[in-house]
Amino acid sequence: MKKNWAERKKLHVDKINDYSVSNNLSPTAYVPIIQGCDNFCSYCIVPYRRGRERSYPIEEIIRKVSTLVQGGVKEVTLLGQNVNSYGHDLPSNTNLGILLNEINNIEGIKRIRFLTNHPKDMSEELIKMMASLEKVCEHINLPIQSGDDIILKAMRRNYTSAQYINLINTLRKYVPEVSVSTDIIVGFPDETDDQFERTLNIVEKTRFDAVHTAIYSTRPGTIAARKYHDNVLSNIKKERFNRIEELQAGIASEINARLQDKTLEVLVEGNKQGKWFGRTRTDKLVFFESPNNCLGQLIDVKIVRTSPWSLIGRI
């Protein structure tokens, strides 16, 4: 019997779920740079729970990253509900691009990532900065949520599908090797079959490296909960979810297959069931075997087998 694509992907993800990223031996760390959110997307509770956007002072972030590097961290991921808004509320004239440049100059840091990004605030200037800094990884998560403009408006996302595609094209222009992941919500109130097909069409044409799909459910206290009735049937939501997952599995298979026999730099994050695992700069999960302690090392790994969700390699 054909196994559900979501179930097969979960088997890969579960391989690393019980390895704590907060382990003090981990070479990776998450660093919050901005709290809260000012966007008030209709399905999201964050602005009500965490308040409006509040950026941490750039000096505080630099000190935090420097301390982490002294403890053995080699990769940091800058976190925020909308990292692109970083600095707009600070008295000093700063922004995410300036922060990335400052962290790029910290000796000992090897890789920098940042998420979550909002398409309406992802500027061409930031993309150019991303392309120019050697330690900023060629990977970005850029949620689209829906491929239909009416649904996007109902979600209060403040961009159109065409604007999103133009942004992806700009990103790939300046960072040709970039891998792009996205977030999609299926079954938003009143979503029709045709509207869902537009989302499916964007997934097919844009060819994301990864798609994180969620089934809409009412979140009390949000605008959508007050304004819309959750009227898309559960079985239809699940069908749409499965269609996205199956389409994306095929796309990811083709993208990852191009990495067969290539040698990639992997930052080793841990060991699970006798196999070391880590990620490439483009956020590809790689497993390999070695009798040595590889934790925290940057190792060149030749890819010998690929799948939609992970790669198998050898040193």
Side-chain angles (χ1 to χ4, degrees):
M1 183 175 66
K2 183 178 179 181
K3 185 175 290 186
N4 181 283
W5 284 111
E7 292 177 358
R8 294 182 63 179
K9 181 169 69 172
K10 186 175 183 297
L11 291 175
H12 284 73
V13 175
D14 282 349
K15 289 181 180 180
I16 62 171
N17 271 354
D18 61 353
Y19 180 82
S20 173
V21 296
S22 62
N23 188 307
N24 59 7
L25 297 178
S26 175
T28 65
Y30 296 99
V31 179
I33 65 170
I34 183 170
Q35 293 285 348
C37 186
D38 290 351
N39 286 309
F40 290 89
C41 298
S42 64
Y43 52 80
C44 184
I45 197 66
V46 168
Y48 305 98
R49 294 283 176 83
R50 300 182 187 173
R52 305 300 288 265
E53 291 172 351
R54 304 178 308 283
S55 301
Y56 290 104
I58 191 168
E59 298 82 5
E60 183 179 327
I61 297 169
I62 297 303
R63 284 197 299 271
K64 175 66 173 177
V65 173
S66 299
T67 301
L68 288 169
V69 170
Q70 293 172 12
V73 167
K74 294 181 178 178
E75 174 185 299
V76 292
T77 300
L78 309 179
L79 291 180
Q81 189 69 21
N82 180 13
V83 290
N84 309 124
S85 293
Y86 174 77
H88 76 90
D89 57 325
L90 294 176
S92 58
N93 183 23
T94 189
N95 55 45
L96 180 58
I98 293 173
L99 177 61
L100 289 173
N101 186 65
E102 290 291 328
I103 296 176
N104 191 77
N105 291 330
I106 296 176
E107 185 176 354
I109 201 71
K110 301 297 183 182
R111 292 180 177 181
I112 306 167
R113 305 183 191 272
F114 54 95
L115 58 90
T116 297
N117 299 277
H118 197 299
K120 78 176 181 64
D121 297 321
M122 187 80 185
S123 67
E124 186 170 351
E125 289 72 22
L126 178 59
I127 293 172
K128 288 179 180 179
M129 180 66 75
M130 177 183 176
S132 69
L133 299 176
E134 61 177 349
K135 297 178 183 178
V136 175
C137 292
E138 299 81 8
H139 170 258
I140 197 161
N141 176 260
L142 197 61
I144 186 172
Q145 304 300 8
S146 174
D148 180 80
D149 290 345
I150 294 176
I151 295 295
L152 286 173
K153 186 175 181 179
M155 288 178 169
R156 294 169 57 98
R157 293 292 287 172
N158 294 311
Y159 56 82
T160 65
S161 56
Q163 288 171 332
Y164 181 90
I165 291 171
N166 286 337
L167 182 58
I168 293 292
N169 291 337
T170 301
L171 185 61
R172 288 172 171 167
K173 171 186 173 182
Y174 289 108
V175 192
E177 300 301 317
V178 70
S179 69
V180 183
S181 61
T182 197
D183 301 346
I184 288 174
I185 297 173
V186 298
F188 190 81
D190 299 328
E191 184 185 60
T192 65
D193 289 341
D194 287 343
Q195 289 171 327
F196 170 73
E197 290 294 335
R198 292 187 185 97
T199 300
L200 206 65
N201 186 53
I202 281 187
V203 172
E204 186 171 14
K205 289 185 175 180
T206 306
R207 297 183 65 79
F208 298 104
D209 289 75
V211 174
H212 311 292
T213 314
I215 292 175
Y216 175 81
S217 60
T218 301
R219 188 68 64 90
T222 61
I223 295 171
R226 298 193 300 268
K227 190 173 181 179
Y228 303 109
H229 178 57
D230 187 3
N231 55 3
V232 180
L233 297 177
S234 177
N235 63 315
I236 293 177
K237 290 180 182 179
K238 290 178 182 178
E239 179 188 2
R240 291 174 182 173
F241 176 90
N242 289 335
R243 289 183 65 190
I244 292 281
E245 290 285 292
E246 186 163 353
L247 173 61
Q248 179 55 31
I251 292 170
S253 291
E254 294 171 5
I255 291 174
N256 289 349
R258 296 201 294 264
L259 300 175
Q260 180 77 31
D261 298 327
K262 292 187 180 296
T263 299
L264 307 175
E265 180 192 78
V266 175
L267 176 58
V268 184
E269 299 177 24
N271 188 290
K272 178 66 175 173
Q273 297 179 350
K275 289 187 177 181
W276 294 101
F277 66 85
R279 293 184 183 272
T280 68
R281 287 177 60 95
T282 56
D283 204 45
K284 304 293 184 182
L285 179 62
V286 180
F287 292 90
F288 67 93
E289 294 181 353
S290 173
N292 302 319
N293 182 3
C294 299
L295 182 65
Q297 296 184 35
L298 288 162
I299 294 181
D300 289 335
V301 178
K302 183 176 181 179
I303 304 305
V304 298
R305 193 164 78 247
T306 68
S307 79
W309 312 285
S310 65
L311 309 172
I312 304 296
R314 65 168 180 263
I315 296 179

